[in-house]
Amino acid sequence: MKRPISIKRGTVAAAFIDLQEEHRQDKRYLVEGYGEVLANVQRLQAAARRNFVPLYHWAYIVDTAKARPFHPLDADGKSAFSDKSDPLTEICHEVAPANGEALLIKAEASAFRSGPAARDLKSGGIEWLIVAGVWTEACVDATVKDAVASGFRVLLVKDACGSGSAAMHQTAILNLANRLYGGAVTNTIDACRLMAGDTVDAWQVEGSVPLRFTFENAERLYGEL
């Protein structure tokens, strides 16, 4: 259900996941509606900078020299996606880190599965993470779940995430909404308002798996979040 929430200044950071060129240039990994996702991410980033919310950017880079059982490879032995030698792993220019913003490299789906990022954010007093990026059911999902397990409240910005199709994205958001304990699902406009200190109504999970979606009603339920 939707309930009013607000976020105390100084306790929130913004995390942007894998907003890389391959998702609009590599025909194998195109994100549906990627232009709109990037435009919403730009709005989030502008609001974060205006309101002194720290921004963290992640890129997925695969090094096949390291053991990765069952990882898909191209005919030349390179990773089928996000290979370290592929220039399309660059962050899209319109959402790239500004001077002084952290660009972090991850070698797995989650931004928080390994490395010091979660600990460093916690030690800096961060309680809330605003999360946006791609793909919703993969790296965004893994990042959100690990963030929650690390004790962060996650504000998942549904229209600043994307996947290979609308159905993949929408059902992934619904699955996360069903289990986003301590956090909330919202849209870009309201996420920007929250960073500015406003109170907004946002979806927060109550009980056990309240969104029993079907093929027929998933799009409607997604629109109600």
Side-chain angles (χ1 to χ4, degrees), residues 90-121:
E90 291 288 331
I91 301 292
C92 295
H93 65 88
E94 60 265 63
V95 295
N99 289 338
E101 293 174 1
L103 174 57
L104 304 168
I105 304 302
K106 60 187 183 68
E108 50 200 332
S110 171
F112 299 114
R113 184 62 50 84
S114 59
R119 183 186 67 241
D120 291 349
L121 286 163

Side-chain angles (χ1 to χ4, degrees), residues 62-74:
V62 177
D63 182 354
T64 54
K66 299 177 181 178
R68 299 176 66 91
F70 315 118
H71 188 82
L73 302 175
D74 283 341

